[in-house]
mmCIF file of all heavy atoms in Angstrom:
data_model
loop_
_atom_site.group_PDB
_atom_site.id
_atom_site.type_symbol
_atom_site.label_atom_id
_atom_site.label_comp_id
_atom_site.label_asym_id
_atom_site.label_seq_id
_atom_site.Cartn_x
_atom_site.Cartn_y
_atom_site.Cartn_z
ATOM 1 N N MET W 1039 178.469 147.834 11.496
ATOM 2 C CA MET W 1039 179.293 147.409 10.372
ATOM 3 C C MET W 1039 180.671 146.972 10.856
ATOM 4 O O MET W 1039 181.184 145.936 10.434
ATOM 5 C CB MET W 1039 179.412 148.550 9.357
ATOM 6 C CG MET W 1039 180.099 148.144 8.088
ATOM 7 S SD MET W 1039 181.598 149.036 7.598
ATOM 8 C CE MET W 1039 181.908 150.238 8.791
ATOM 9 N N GLN W 1040 181.246 147.716 11.780
ATOM 10 C CA GLN W 1040 182.564 147.353 12.319
ATOM 11 C C GLN W 1040 182.484 146.035 13.100
ATOM 12 O O GLN W 1040 183.384 145.197 13.010
ATOM 13 C CB GLN W 1040 183.118 148.468 13.210
ATOM 14 C CG GLN W 1040 183.521 149.716 12.458
ATOM 15 C CD GLN W 1040 184.759 149.535 11.589
ATOM 16 O OE1 GLN W 1040 185.331 148.456 11.472
ATOM 17 N NE2 GLN W 1040 185.166 150.621 10.939
ATOM 18 N N LEU W 1041 181.412 145.849 13.869
ATOM 19 C CA LEU W 1041 181.237 144.590 14.608
ATOM 20 C C LEU W 1041 181.094 143.410 13.646
ATOM 21 O O LEU W 1041 181.662 142.340 13.868
ATOM 22 C CB LEU W 1041 180.020 144.680 15.532
ATOM 23 C CG LEU W 1041 180.152 145.636 16.719
ATOM 24 C CD1 LEU W 1041 178.810 145.779 17.442
ATOM 25 C CD2 LEU W 1041 181.237 145.172 17.672
ATOM 26 N N ALA W 1042 180.347 143.623 12.570
ATOM 27 C CA ALA W 1042 180.182 142.567 11.568
ATOM 28 C C ALA W 1042 181.517 142.266 10.886
ATOM 29 O O ALA W 1042 181.840 141.105 10.618
ATOM 30 C CB ALA W 1042 179.125 142.972 10.545
ATOM 31 N N ARG W 1043 182.279 143.297 10.642
ATOM 32 C CA ARG W 1043 183.608 143.120 10.038
ATOM 33 C C ARG W 1043 184.493 142.294 10.967
ATOM 34 O O ARG W 1043 185.189 141.381 10.524
ATOM 35 C CB ARG W 1043 184.227 144.482 9.772
ATOM 36 C CG ARG W 1043 185.626 144.408 9.197
ATOM 37 C CD ARG W 1043 186.208 145.796 9.032
ATOM 38 N NE ARG W 1043 187.558 145.714 8.504
ATOM 39 C CZ ARG W 1043 188.436 146.676 8.605
ATOM 40 N NH1 ARG W 1043 188.126 147.799 9.216
ATOM 41 N NH2 ARG W 1043 189.640 146.536 8.101
ATOM 42 N N MET W 1044 184.463 142.614 12.261
ATOM 43 C CA MET W 1044 185.272 141.856 13.230
ATOM 44 C C MET W 1044 184.798 140.404 13.330
ATOM 45 O O MET W 1044 185.569 139.521 13.687
ATOM 46 C CB MET W 1044 185.232 142.527 14.604
ATOM 47 C CG MET W 1044 186.005 143.839 14.639
ATOM 48 S SD MET W 1044 186.195 144.581 16.270
ATOM 49 C CE MET W 1044 184.523 144.829 16.799
ATOM 50 N N ALA W 1045 183.518 140.171 12.998
ATOM 51 C CA ALA W 1045 182.979 138.809 13.017
ATOM 52 C C ALA W 1045 183.353 138.039 11.746
ATOM 53 O O ALA W 1045 182.990 136.882 11.603
ATOM 54 C CB ALA W 1045 181.463 138.846 13.184
ATOM 55 N N GLY W 1046 184.055 138.707 10.813
ATOM 56 C CA GLY W 1046 184.547 138.018 9.634
ATOM 57 C C GLY W 1046 183.795 138.282 8.341
ATOM 58 O O GLY W 1046 184.095 137.674 7.317
ATOM 59 N N MET W 1047 182.812 139.183 8.366
ATOM 60 C CA MET W 1047 182.071 139.479 7.131
ATOM 61 C C MET W 1047 182.899 140.398 6.234
ATOM 62 O O MET W 1047 183.714 141.176 6.726
ATOM 63 C CB MET W 1047 180.746 140.166 7.464
ATOM 64 C CG MET W 1047 179.758 139.280 8.164
ATOM 65 S SD MET W 1047 178.208 140.198 8.406
ATOM 66 C CE MET W 1047 177.254 138.976 9.264
ATOM 67 N N ASP W 1048 182.644 140.324 4.903
ATOM 68 C CA ASP W 1048 183.323 141.246 3.999
ATOM 69 C C ASP W 1048 182.614 142.604 4.039
ATOM 70 O O ASP W 1048 181.622 142.783 4.746
ATOM 71 C CB ASP W 1048 183.392 140.672 2.573
ATOM 72 C CG ASP W 1048 182.045 140.574 1.862
ATOM 73 O OD1 ASP W 1048 181.085 141.272 2.244
ATOM 74 O OD2 ASP W 1048 181.955 139.776 0.910
ATOM 75 N N PHE W 1049 183.140 143.555 3.275
ATOM 76 C CA PHE W 1049 182.617 144.925 3.352
ATOM 77 C C PHE W 1049 181.136 145.001 3.002
ATOM 78 O O PHE W 1049 180.354 145.605 3.731
ATOM 79 C CB PHE W 1049 183.415 145.860 2.430
ATOM 80 C CG PHE W 1049 182.894 147.272 2.454
ATOM 81 C CD1 PHE W 1049 183.171 148.116 3.515
ATOM 82 C CD2 PHE W 1049 182.099 147.747 1.427
ATOM 83 C CE1 PHE W 1049 182.682 149.408 3.551
ATOM 84 C CE2 PHE W 1049 181.599 149.038 1.451
ATOM 85 C CZ PHE W 1049 181.896 149.872 2.516
ATOM 86 N N SER W 1050 180.725 144.416 1.886
ATOM 87 C CA SER W 1050 179.324 144.524 1.458
ATOM 88 C C SER W 1050 178.378 143.873 2.457
ATOM 89 O O SER W 1050 177.315 144.425 2.769
ATOM 90 C CB SER W 1050 179.136 143.908 0.074
ATOM 91 O OG SER W 1050 179.842 144.659 -0.891
ATOM 92 N N GLN W 1051 178.745 142.710 2.966
ATOM 93 C CA GLN W 1051 177.910 142.045 3.982
ATOM 94 C C GLN W 1051 177.822 142.893 5.248
ATOM 95 O O GLN W 1051 176.744 143.062 5.808
ATOM 96 C CB GLN W 1051 178.487 140.669 4.331
ATOM 97 C CG GLN W 1051 178.417 139.668 3.217
ATOM 98 C CD GLN W 1051 179.238 138.423 3.527
ATOM 99 O OE1 GLN W 1051 180.238 138.469 4.238
ATOM 100 N NE2 GLN W 1051 178.807 137.292 2.981
ATOM 101 N N SER W 1052 178.956 143.422 5.680
ATOM 102 C CA SER W 1052 178.987 144.255 6.881
ATOM 103 C C SER W 1052 178.137 145.509 6.705
ATOM 104 O O SER W 1052 177.398 145.909 7.601
ATOM 105 C CB SER W 1052 180.427 144.664 7.215
ATOM 106 O OG SER W 1052 181.222 143.545 7.466
ATOM 107 N N GLN W 1053 178.241 146.110 5.536
ATOM 108 C CA GLN W 1053 177.462 147.311 5.243
ATOM 109 C C GLN W 1053 175.971 146.998 5.237
ATOM 110 O O GLN W 1053 175.162 147.763 5.754
ATOM 111 C CB GLN W 1053 177.903 147.905 3.900
ATOM 112 C CG GLN W 1053 177.213 149.179 3.518
ATOM 113 C CD GLN W 1053 177.527 150.348 4.431
ATOM 114 O OE1 GLN W 1053 178.443 150.305 5.245
ATOM 115 N NE2 GLN W 1053 176.755 151.397 4.321
ATOM 116 N N LEU W 1054 175.593 145.860 4.686
ATOM 117 C CA LEU W 1054 174.184 145.458 4.644
ATOM 118 C C LEU W 1054 173.634 145.244 6.049
ATOM 119 O O LEU W 1054 172.539 145.728 6.372
ATOM 120 C CB LEU W 1054 174.019 144.196 3.799
ATOM 121 C CG LEU W 1054 172.588 143.738 3.560
ATOM 122 C CD1 LEU W 1054 171.799 144.798 2.802
ATOM 123 C CD2 LEU W 1054 172.584 142.431 2.792
ATOM 124 N N VAL W 1055 174.378 144.561 6.901
ATOM 125 C CA VAL W 1055 173.929 144.324 8.281
ATOM 126 C C VAL W 1055 173.820 145.656 9.028
ATOM 127 O O VAL W 1055 172.825 145.918 9.719
ATOM 128 C CB VAL W 1055 174.882 143.347 9.014
ATOM 129 C CG1 VAL W 1055 174.579 143.290 10.501
ATOM 130 C CG2 VAL W 1055 174.784 141.965 8.396
ATOM 131 N N GLY W 1056 174.832 146.504 8.900
ATOM 132 C CA GLY W 1056 174.799 147.808 9.564
ATOM 133 C C GLY W 1056 173.627 148.654 9.103
ATOM 134 O O GLY W 1056 172.954 149.314 9.902
ATOM 135 N N THR W 1057 173.352 148.610 7.815
ATOM 136 C CA THR W 1057 172.240 149.381 7.262
ATOM 137 C C THR W 1057 170.897 148.862 7.773
ATOM 138 O O THR W 1057 170.012 149.651 8.118
ATOM 139 C CB THR W 1057 172.294 149.345 5.723
ATOM 140 O OG1 THR W 1057 173.541 149.906 5.298
ATOM 141 C CG2 THR W 1057 171.153 150.136 5.108
ATOM 142 N N ALA W 1058 170.741 147.557 7.844
ATOM 143 C CA ALA W 1058 169.482 146.971 8.332
ATOM 144 C C ALA W 1058 169.213 147.372 9.786
ATOM 145 O O ALA W 1058 168.089 147.763 10.139
ATOM 146 C CB ALA W 1058 169.519 145.452 8.198
ATOM 147 N N VAL W 1059 170.225 147.319 10.625
ATOM 148 C CA VAL W 1059 170.048 147.704 12.024
ATOM 149 C C VAL W 1059 169.765 149.209 12.119
ATOM 150 O O VAL W 1059 168.939 149.650 12.919
ATOM 151 C CB VAL W 1059 171.276 147.295 12.872
ATOM 152 C CG1 VAL W 1059 171.166 147.830 14.294
ATOM 153 C CG2 VAL W 1059 171.424 145.779 12.891
ATOM 154 N N ALA W 1060 170.419 150.002 11.281
ATOM 155 C CA ALA W 1060 170.178 151.446 11.270
ATOM 156 C C ALA W 1060 168.744 151.764 10.836
ATOM 157 O O ALA W 1060 168.114 152.674 11.386
ATOM 158 C CB ALA W 1060 171.184 152.144 10.356
ATOM 159 N N ILE W 1061 168.211 151.027 9.873
ATOM 160 C CA ILE W 1061 166.825 151.242 9.426
ATOM 161 C C ILE W 1061 165.856 151.003 10.582
ATOM 162 O O ILE W 1061 164.953 151.809 10.826
ATOM 163 C CB ILE W 1061 166.488 150.346 8.217
ATOM 164 C CG1 ILE W 1061 167.184 150.861 6.961
ATOM 165 C CG2 ILE W 1061 164.974 150.277 7.982
ATOM 166 C CD1 ILE W 1061 167.096 149.924 5.764
ATOM 167 N N LEU W 1062 166.034 149.916 11.303
ATOM 168 C CA LEU W 1062 165.168 149.629 12.446
ATOM 169 C C LEU W 1062 165.297 150.713 13.512
ATOM 170 O O LEU W 1062 164.289 151.226 14.018
ATOM 171 C CB LEU W 1062 165.508 148.260 13.047
ATOM 172 C CG LEU W 1062 164.757 147.897 14.336
ATOM 173 C CD1 LEU W 1062 163.250 147.827 14.095
ATOM 174 C CD2 LEU W 1062 165.284 146.589 14.902
ATOM 175 N N THR W 1063 166.514 151.095 13.829
ATOM 176 C CA THR W 1063 166.756 152.139 14.832
ATOM 177 C C THR W 1063 166.110 153.454 14.414
ATOM 178 O O THR W 1063 165.430 154.112 15.205
ATOM 179 C CB THR W 1063 168.267 152.332 15.046
ATOM 180 O OG1 THR W 1063 168.842 151.090 15.452
ATOM 181 C CG2 THR W 1063 168.549 153.396 16.081
ATOM 182 N N ASN W 1064 166.300 153.839 13.149
ATOM 183 C CA ASN W 1064 165.733 155.101 12.669
ATOM 184 C C ASN W 1064 164.208 155.083 12.694
ATOM 185 O O ASN W 1064 163.583 156.085 13.055
ATOM 186 C CB ASN W 1064 166.232 155.417 11.267
ATOM 187 C CG ASN W 1064 167.644 155.950 11.270
ATOM 188 O OD1 ASN W 1064 168.286 156.055 12.311
ATOM 189 N ND2 ASN W 1064 168.144 156.273 10.106
ATOM 190 N N PHE W 1065 163.603 153.969 12.319
ATOM 191 C CA PHE W 1065 162.145 153.896 12.361
ATOM 192 C C PHE W 1065 161.637 154.103 13.787
ATOM 193 O O PHE W 1065 160.734 154.908 14.022
ATOM 194 C CB PHE W 1065 161.625 152.566 11.820
ATOM 195 C CG PHE W 1065 160.137 152.437 11.979
ATOM 196 C CD1 PHE W 1065 159.276 153.084 11.110
ATOM 197 C CD2 PHE W 1065 159.589 151.726 13.039
ATOM 198 C CE1 PHE W 1065 157.895 153.014 11.271
ATOM 199 C CE2 PHE W 1065 158.220 151.643 13.210
ATOM 200 C CZ PHE W 1065 157.366 152.288 12.329
ATOM 201 N N LEU W 1066 162.211 153.380 14.729
ATOM 202 C CA LEU W 1066 161.754 153.478 16.120
ATOM 203 C C LEU W 1066 161.952 154.883 16.682
ATOM 204 O O LEU W 1066 161.061 155.431 17.346
ATOM 205 C CB LEU W 1066 162.467 152.436 16.987
ATOM 206 C CG LEU W 1066 162.140 150.982 16.643
ATOM 207 C CD1 LEU W 1066 163.041 150.031 17.429
ATOM 208 C CD2 LEU W 1066 160.670 150.663 16.874
ATOM 209 N N LEU W 1067 163.107 155.494 16.404
ATOM 210 C CA LEU W 1067 163.365 156.851 16.903
ATOM 211 C C LEU W 1067 162.475 157.882 16.212
ATOM 212 O O LEU W 1067 161.961 158.796 16.868
ATOM 213 C CB LEU W 1067 164.842 157.212 16.731
ATOM 214 C CG LEU W 1067 165.807 156.496 17.667
ATOM 215 C CD1 LEU W 1067 167.249 156.835 17.303
ATOM 216 C CD2 LEU W 1067 165.524 156.834 19.122
ATOM 217 N N ASN W 1068 162.298 157.746 14.911
ATOM 218 C CA ASN W 1068 161.423 158.696 14.209
ATOM 219 C C ASN W 1068 159.984 158.568 14.683
ATOM 220 O O ASN W 1068 159.288 159.574 14.845
ATOM 221 C CB ASN W 1068 161.507 158.511 12.696
ATOM 222 C CG ASN W 1068 162.692 159.213 12.108
ATOM 223 O OD1 ASN W 1068 162.970 160.363 12.422
ATOM 224 N ND2 ASN W 1068 163.422 158.524 11.252
ATOM 225 N N ASN W 1069 159.537 157.353 14.915
ATOM 226 C CA ASN W 1069 158.175 157.147 15.394
ATOM 227 C C ASN W 1069 157.987 157.777 16.776
ATOM 228 O O ASN W 1069 156.940 158.331 17.076
ATOM 229 C CB ASN W 1069 157.837 155.658 15.430
ATOM 230 C CG ASN W 1069 156.358 155.405 15.560
ATOM 231 O OD1 ASN W 1069 155.540 155.982 14.837
ATOM 232 N ND2 ASN W 1069 155.990 154.555 16.494
ATOM 233 N N ARG W 1070 159.006 157.703 17.602
ATOM 234 C CA ARG W 1070 158.926 158.221 18.979
ATOM 235 C C ARG W 1070 159.208 159.718 19.057
ATOM 236 O O ARG W 1070 158.577 160.430 19.827
ATOM 237 C CB ARG W 1070 159.919 157.457 19.867
ATOM 238 C CG ARG W 1070 160.107 158.002 21.256
ATOM 239 C CD ARG W 1070 158.910 157.694 22.151
ATOM 240 N NE ARG W 1070 159.159 158.108 23.506
ATOM 241 C CZ ARG W 1070 158.732 159.244 24.030
ATOM 242 N NH1 ARG W 1070 158.017 160.081 23.306
ATOM 243 N NH2 ARG W 1070 158.998 159.560 25.275
ATOM 244 N N LEU W 1071 160.161 160.210 18.235
ATOM 245 C CA LEU W 1071 160.619 161.594 18.385
ATOM 246 C C LEU W 1071 160.164 162.513 17.251
ATOM 247 O O LEU W 1071 159.442 163.478 17.488
ATOM 248 C CB LEU W 1071 162.149 161.625 18.492
ATOM 249 C CG LEU W 1071 162.759 160.786 19.609
ATOM 250 C CD1 LEU W 1071 164.271 160.759 19.497
ATOM 251 C CD2 LEU W 1071 162.328 161.319 20.962
ATOM 252 N N THR W 1072 160.581 162.226 16.037
ATOM 253 C CA THR W 1072 160.312 163.119 14.908
ATOM 254 C C THR W 1072 158.819 163.258 14.623
ATOM 255 O O THR W 1072 158.321 164.350 14.377
ATOM 256 C CB THR W 1072 161.035 162.609 13.647
ATOM 257 O OG1 THR W 1072 162.415 162.400 13.959
ATOM 258 C CG2 THR W 1072 160.894 163.587 12.506
ATOM 259 N N TYR W 1073 158.115 162.136 14.652
ATOM 260 C CA TYR W 1073 156.689 162.130 14.350
ATOM 261 C C TYR W 1073 155.878 161.795 15.600
ATOM 262 O O TYR W 1073 154.889 161.077 15.525
ATOM 263 C CB TYR W 1073 156.397 161.123 13.227
ATOM 264 C CG TYR W 1073 157.109 161.476 11.933
ATOM 265 C CD1 TYR W 1073 158.307 160.853 11.592
ATOM 266 C CD2 TYR W 1073 156.596 162.437 11.073
ATOM 267 C CE1 TYR W 1073 158.970 161.183 10.411
ATOM 268 C CE2 TYR W 1073 157.251 162.771 9.904
ATOM 269 C CZ TYR W 1073 158.440 162.139 9.582
ATOM 270 O OH TYR W 1073 159.090 162.467 8.418
ATOM 271 N N HIS W 1074 156.286 162.325 16.735
ATOM 272 C CA HIS W 1074 155.605 162.019 18.004
ATOM 273 C C HIS W 1074 154.133 162.389 17.965
ATOM 274 O O HIS W 1074 153.314 161.745 18.608
ATOM 275 C CB HIS W 1074 156.308 162.718 19.180
ATOM 276 C CG HIS W 1074 156.280 164.203 19.086
ATOM 277 N ND1 HIS W 1074 155.287 164.950 19.632
ATOM 278 C CD2 HIS W 1074 157.117 165.066 18.476
ATOM 279 C CE1 HIS W 1074 155.502 166.235 19.371
ATOM 280 N NE2 HIS W 1074 156.621 166.321 18.674
ATOM 281 N N ASP W 1075 153.780 163.400 17.182
ATOM 282 C CA ASP W 1075 152.385 163.821 17.073
ATOM 283 C C ASP W 1075 151.590 162.939 16.106
ATOM 284 O O ASP W 1075 150.367 163.043 16.031
ATOM 285 C CB ASP W 1075 152.301 165.286 16.638
ATOM 286 C CG ASP W 1075 152.993 165.555 15.318
ATOM 287 O OD1 ASP W 1075 154.022 164.895 15.039
ATOM 288 O OD2 ASP W 1075 152.527 166.426 14.569
ATOM 289 N N ARG W 1076 152.285 162.089 15.380
ATOM 290 C CA ARG W 1076 151.641 161.180 14.417
ATOM 291 C C ARG W 1076 152.062 159.733 14.699
ATOM 292 O O ARG W 1076 152.058 158.905 13.801
ATOM 293 C CB ARG W 1076 152.080 161.523 12.993
ATOM 294 C CG ARG W 1076 151.799 162.939 12.580
ATOM 295 C CD ARG W 1076 152.389 163.193 11.220
ATOM 296 N NE ARG W 1076 152.308 164.610 10.886
ATOM 297 C CZ ARG W 1076 152.794 165.141 9.793
ATOM 298 N NH1 ARG W 1076 153.397 164.378 8.912
ATOM 299 N NH2 ARG W 1076 152.681 166.422 9.557
ATOM 300 N N ARG W 1077 152.461 159.460 15.914
ATOM 301 C CA ARG W 1077 153.033 158.168 16.286
ATOM 302 C C ARG W 1077 152.155 157.010 15.862
ATOM 303 O O ARG W 1077 150.949 157.013 16.059
ATOM 304 C CB ARG W 1077 153.254 158.119 17.803
ATOM 305 C CG ARG W 1077 154.034 156.901 18.233
ATOM 306 C CD ARG W 1077 154.361 156.911 19.702
ATOM 307 N NE ARG W 1077 155.089 158.124 20.024
ATOM 308 C CZ ARG W 1077 155.041 158.708 21.207
ATOM 309 N NH1 ARG W 1077 154.329 158.196 22.177
ATOM 310 N NH2 ARG W 1077 155.720 159.800 21.435
ATOM 311 N N LEU W 1078 152.786 156.019 15.258
ATOM 312 C CA LEU W 1078 152.094 154.800 14.847
ATOM 313 C C LEU W 1078 152.131 153.814 16.007
ATOM 314 O O LEU W 1078 153.157 153.654 16.659
ATOM 315 C CB LEU W 1078 152.779 154.194 13.621
ATOM 316 C CG LEU W 1078 152.906 155.097 12.395
ATOM 317 C CD1 LEU W 1078 153.724 154.414 11.314
ATOM 318 C CD2 LEU W 1078 151.538 155.495 11.874
ATOM 319 N N LYS W 1079 151.003 153.142 16.223
ATOM 320 C CA LYS W 1079 150.910 152.167 17.315
ATOM 321 C C LYS W 1079 150.232 150.903 16.798
ATOM 322 O O LYS W 1079 149.493 150.937 15.831
ATOM 323 C CB LYS W 1079 150.100 152.743 18.480
ATOM 324 C CG LYS W 1079 150.725 153.957 19.120
ATOM 325 C CD LYS W 1079 149.841 154.523 20.213
ATOM 326 C CE LYS W 1079 150.473 155.793 20.763
ATOM 327 N NZ LYS W 1079 149.625 156.454 21.726
ATOM 328 N N GLY W 1080 150.508 149.808 17.499
ATOM 329 C CA GLY W 1080 149.848 148.545 17.180
ATOM 330 C C GLY W 1080 150.129 148.085 15.766
ATOM 331 O O GLY W 1080 151.250 148.153 15.272
ATOM 332 N N ALA W 1081 149.064 147.618 15.105
ATOM 333 C CA ALA W 1081 149.193 147.093 13.741
ATOM 334 C C ALA W 1081 149.677 148.166 12.768
ATOM 335 O O ALA W 1081 150.440 147.872 11.839
ATOM 336 C CB ALA W 1081 147.858 146.515 13.274
ATOM 337 N N ARG W 1082 149.264 149.422 12.983
ATOM 338 C CA ARG W 1082 149.714 150.519 12.109
ATOM 339 C C ARG W 1082 151.228 150.702 12.198
ATOM 340 O O ARG W 1082 151.878 151.043 11.217
ATOM 341 C CB ARG W 1082 149.008 151.828 12.462
ATOM 342 C CG ARG W 1082 147.548 151.840 12.024
ATOM 343 C CD ARG W 1082 146.891 153.200 12.246
ATOM 344 N NE ARG W 1082 147.526 154.195 11.407
ATOM 345 C CZ ARG W 1082 147.894 155.415 11.830
ATOM 346 N NH1 ARG W 1082 147.686 155.792 13.063
ATOM 347 N NH2 ARG W 1082 148.471 156.259 11.006
#
């Protein structure tokens, strides 16, 4: 969000970009760590 702000985006745009990247990061980490015993692979 701070990087997006420095790139000239307003608060709502910056928050949206930061949230989207956080969603992707959280999915990948949860798939690898939190749900390691139920890890999704491939098409799943």
Side-chain angles (χ1 to χ4, degrees):
M1039 187 238 0
Q1040 290 290 3
L1041 291 172
R1043 178 183 179 200
M1044 289 188 301
M1047 292 183 181
D1048 68 21
F1049 179 77
S1050 294
Q1051 293 169 330
S1052 299
Q1053 183 66 13
L1054 185 62
V1055 170
T1057 300
V1059 174
I1061 287 171
L1062 175 62
T1063 302
N1064 283 2
F1065 175 78
L1066 295 172
L1067 288 174
N1068 278 314
N1069 195 48
R1070 171 74 174 98
L1071 304 173
T1072 308
Y1073 298 98
H1074 63 91
D1075 58 326
R1076 303 175 189 177
R1077 189 175 303 151
L1078 303 174
K1079 297 177 184 175
R1082 287 186 64 225

